[in-house]
Amino acid sequence: MRGNGAVGTAARLPSALLLALAGLLGVTGCQSVAPSAGVRPSSAPPAHDGTFLAKGECSSFGPTSYTEVPCSGERAAARVVARHDGPVTEGPPCPPATDFVLHIGGGEPATGRTTAPAVPRGYACMRNLQPPHPGDPGQGGGPRTVPGDCVYDSGGGQVRETACDGSGPHKPGYKVTETAPDRRACPPSTSLYVQVGGPDPVGCARRL
């Protein structure tokens, strides 16, 4: 769903006190093609290293499940660009090229085999093998806000991502021009701050 990417609190100059939050929202925030967060994988973890959807592996999608498949196969839809254990809120942020996040829950895979090994809780940062790429700068989606992304005022002191070219349901109001270690390092043209995480956690946005 374009326009429903990063969400947070708007902070405008000169009286701004709060940062806009660009959180890791996962599949429920941006992608209609991915399964909802918490859906269990439809196949057992691969035998080669014991990790379901390891970095570099590919996934296909169904209405309620996702399956690891060969990247060269016709069912492959997205590739894992990063894989981390534990909840997404406690782990490292996904790379900027991430289109969406798959939340992999713990428990038994839905294989019908009682001896199937449990899949540890974790998350996979996914990149579509074919366009569209909502995680790319200015496309209005993805789990992270990066330089080149645009946001709009969604009301209640909050902002959300939207496509910079106006193709989304909401007109862009601000564009993130660069990231900085803190607000003081943003250029004078900055009219909104966005928390983007990473080594330079503040996004400097100008009004469009």
Side-chain angles (χ1 to χ4, degrees), residues 181-207:
D182 54 48
R183 296 186 186 187
R184 294 172 298 178
C186 287
S189 60
T190 301
S191 54
L192 185 78
Y193 299 109
V194 181
Q195 184 174 327
V196 299
D200 292 320
V202 178
C204 312
R206 62 174 176 84
R207 186 183 295 273

Side-chain angles (χ1 to χ4, degrees), residues 98-193:
T98 302
D99 286 329
F100 60 95
V101 177
L102 287 180
H103 298 267
I104 301 170
E108 296 290 336
T111 62
R113 295 185 299 159
T114 58
T115 58
V119 178
R121 176 174 296 180
Y123 58 99
C125 308
M126 308 295 294
R127 172 82 173 175
N128 293 330
L129 294 180
Q130 301 293 333
H133 293 292
D136 284 353
Q139 296 305 301
R144 293 188 59 181
T145 298
V146 299
D149 279 339
C150 294
V151 298
Y152 72 96
D153 187 344
S154 60
Q158 302 219 326
V159 295
R160 289 179 180 269
E161 273 191 43
T162 190
C164 290
D165 62 5
S167 61
H170 300 279
K171 180 180 178 181
Y174 304 86
K175 185 172 186 177
V176 179
T177 59
E178 60 185 271
T179 58
D182 54 48
R183 296 186 186 187
R184 294 172 298 178
C186 287
S189 60
T190 301
S191 54
L192 185 78
Y193 299 109

